[in-house]
């Protein structure tokens, strides 16, 4: 098996996508911030002292999707043409879903995952004063479309 991010000496390199044609691609990722009942109550009541947790996390996730290549050294700089970060308070915490779209030469899986991770970290930052035991969990790719490898959906 050959790895595209390694050169013939086994050293990391950025894959050259210059010759590839731009295509429409999307990726959706998800994750959860696990919180105790007191934090869930504060989120539902809008009583978190730092303010609107979900709004801050949504913007943090969108901003993170656009800055992914600054965080991941082998990620390509691509046009993030659409980014949606959705957060919902559940009985166990906050469910996060991010979908990122582009018309570019490489996919947006890392951008979607980064959006979820940073949105989750923003939630943690906003509620950690209420409960130090909150945690970010299960950040994972749910589906992707487009590109040479085609469409993929996480099996049930």
């Amino acid at each position: 098996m050959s790895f595209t991010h390694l050169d013939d000496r086994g050293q990391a390199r950025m894959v050259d996508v210059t010759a590839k044609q731009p295509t429409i691609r999307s990726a959706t990722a998800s994750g959860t911030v696990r919180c105790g009942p007191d934090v869930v109550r504060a989120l539902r009541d809008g009583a978190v002292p730092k303010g609107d947790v979900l709004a801050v996390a949504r913007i943090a996730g969108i901003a993170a999707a656009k800055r992914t290549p600054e965080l991941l050294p082998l990620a390509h700089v691509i046009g993030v043409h659409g980014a949606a970060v959705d957060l919902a308070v559940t009985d166990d915490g906050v469910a996060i879903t991010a979908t990122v779209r582009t018309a570019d030469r490489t996919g947006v899986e890392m951008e979607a995952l980064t959006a979820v991770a940073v949105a989750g970290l923003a939630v943690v930052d906003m509620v950690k004063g209420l409960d130090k035991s909150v945690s970010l969990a299960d950040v994972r790719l749910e589906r992707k479309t487009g590109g040479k490898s085609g469409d993929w959906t996480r099996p049930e």
Side-chain angles (χ1 to χ4, degrees):
M1 176 188 291
S2 66
F3 294 99
T4 58
H5 282 80
L6 298 177
D7 66 15
D8 55 3
R9 296 181 311 238
Q11 296 177 336
R13 68 176 174 95
M14 184 179 212
V15 175
D16 185 351
V17 295
T18 307
K20 292 175 81 175
Q21 291 300 309
T23 60
I24 295 172
R25 302 155 183 264
S26 71
T28 299
S30 67
T32 302
V33 176
R34 295 199 176 114
C35 306
D38 291 341
V39 174
V40 169
R41 192 173 312 105
L43 287 164
R44 286 185 171 146
D45 293 345
V48 176
K50 285 191 173 183
D52 189 340
V53 174
L54 303 186
V56 169
R58 184 177 303 106
I59 297 303
I62 291 168
K66 298 189 306 185
R67 299 184 76 156
T68 298
E70 294 175 31
L71 302 170
L72 302 174
L74 299 181
H76 292 87
V77 176
I78 61 172
V80 171
H81 299 120
V85 177
D86 297 308
L87 299 100
V89 179
T90 68
D91 291 341
D92 299 320
V94 179
I96 307 164
T97 303
T99 299
V100 179
R101 293 179 47 82
T102 190
D104 218 317
R105 291 174 168 85
T106 190
V108 285
E109 295 91 341
M110 297 313 301
E111 286 75 7
L113 288 162
T114 300
V116 168
V118 171
L121 291 172
V123 171
V124 170
D125 181 50
M126 298 281 290
V127 303
K128 71 181 188 280
L130 300 174
D131 181 0
K132 302 252 186 285
S133 71
V134 297
S135 63
L136 176 59
D138 304 320
V139 176
R140 63 191 200 171
L141 185 66
E142 296 294 339
R143 68 188 149 277
K144 55 99 44 204
T145 64
K148 186 170 100 175
S149 65
D151 296 353
W152 178 86
T153 300
R154 175 172 292 286
E156 292 293 324

